[in-house]
Amino acid sequence: MEQPRQRDADRSRAAILDAAESLFAEHGYDVVTMAQVGAAAGVSRGTPGYFFGSKEALHQVVVGRAAATMRMLAETLRVRDAVGGRTPAERVSQTVDAFLSLLTSRASLVRLIDRADGAVAGEPHAEALRDALEGLGPDRDRAALVALAMCWFPISHPGAARLLGVDPDAPGFAETWRTEVLTAIGLSGRAAAPAVVAGTGRESVRAKPAPVIAQDPAPTTPVAPDDFPSDRSVPKKKKKKRKKKNP
C-alpha cells in the first residue's frame, strides 16, 4: 500500500514542475527565482531546492518534460495510425486536432520551448509533427511545416495574432482554427466552419465549400522559360504613315 507521505511528495514535485513551467515560460530563466517557484507551487521556499537541487537542474527537468510531451503526442498518434489504418487525409486531420488541443490547453509549453534557447535538444515541436505524419511521403514535411506555423504562431504570439484577426483565447478557437489549418495544408475541414473574430468572443461564419479531400491532384506540366513569349516573338504593330498634305 502506498504511503501518504509518498503521495504528498509526488504531488509537491508535480506542483513545482507545473509552477516552474509557467514562470519560466512567462518570465524567462534569468528572472525566475526558486523562492518564486515555491510560492507559486504552494510549498515552502526551500522545497524546490530539496527536490531538484538548483534552478538550472529544475529548468532542465521542466524543458525535458516539455520535449517529452511532444514526443508522447507523436507516439500516440503513430500508434493510433498503426491500429486504425487511417487514410492520409484522416491522419493529417487528427494530427492537427491533437496538436491544437495540446497547445491551447497548455500554452505555457509553447512559450517555454520558444524561450529554451538551446536548453532543449533538437526541435521537439517540429519533430513531433514530422513523426506523427510519417507515411505521407513527399507531402509530409510540407504538411508538418504548415501545421506548425499556423498552430504554433497564434499561441506563441497572441498579440500579433489578434492584430491579424485571430484570437487564440476566443471560445472554440481550436475547433474553428483547425479548418483554416487544414485548408492551408490542402484539405478542407467542416463545411461553413465559424471563424474566430479577434477580441469579440463571438464567431462569424465564412462560407466554405463542402469537405473535399484532394488525394491525388492532377499533375501540372512545368512551364519552361522558352514557353513565355519574348519581346522578339511578339509581333509589333506597324505604325501607319501619315500622308503629307500638299501646300
Side-chain angles (χ1 to χ4, degrees), residues 179-180 183 188-195 204-211:
T179 304
E180 303 291 342
T183 300
S188 60
R190 300 182 183 93
S204 67
V205 177
R206 297 178 188 170
K208 296 257 181 214

Side-chain angles (χ1 to χ4, degrees), residues 107-239:
S108 59
L109 183 147
V110 174
R111 299 184 185 113
L112 177 72
I113 291 178
D114 281 346
R115 285 181 177 270
D117 295 331
V120 59
E123 301 289 342
H125 44 353
E127 292 165 7
L129 284 173
R130 182 192 62 191
D131 293 345
L133 296 174
E134 186 179 1
L136 290 185
D139 295 328
R140 180 194 65 176
D141 288 350
R142 178 188 173 277
L145 178 59
V146 174
L148 178 62
M150 293 191 68
C151 295
W152 195 270
F153 183 84
I155 311 299
S156 177
H157 298 81
R162 292 188 192 98
L163 182 66
L164 298 175
V166 176
D167 186 3
D169 294 326
F173 164 75
E175 183 179 354
T176 55
W177 187 239
R178 71 179 293 280
T179 304
E180 303 291 342
V181 178
L182 293 177
T183 300
I185 291 174
L187 308 174
S188 60
R190 300 182 183 93
V196 178
V197 179
T200 64
R202 300 190 304 272
E203 294 176 342
S204 67
V205 177
R206 297 178 188 170
K208 296 257 181 214
V212 175
I213 298 176
Q215 296 286 353
D216 298 308
T220 56
T221 303
V223 180
D226 293 340
D227 293 338
F228 291 96
S230 63
D231 291 341
R232 295 177 182 176
S233 62
V234 178
K236 295 182 179 180
K237 294 182 179 179
K238 295 181 180 181
K239 294 183 179 180

Side-chain angles (χ1 to χ4, degrees), residues 38-105:
V43 299
S44 65
R45 294 166 59 94
T47 303
Y50 171 78
F51 279 104
F52 299 97
S54 66
K55 184 174 78 167
E56 181 181 3
L58 173 61
H59 184 254
Q60 289 177 348
V61 173
V62 169
V63 172
R65 187 179 72 154
T69 300
M70 290 291 175
R71 288 193 293 269
M72 189 181 304
L73 173 70
E75 184 61 27
T76 300
L77 290 168
R78 286 197 300 183
V79 169
R80 286 183 188 175
D81 180 48
V83 174
R86 297 173 299 169
T87 65
E90 290 171 339
R91 186 180 309 160
V92 172
S93 179
Q94 292 180 22
T95 297
V96 169
D97 287 346
F99 195 57
L100 269 174
S101 178
L102 173 63
L103 302 190
T104 53
S105 64

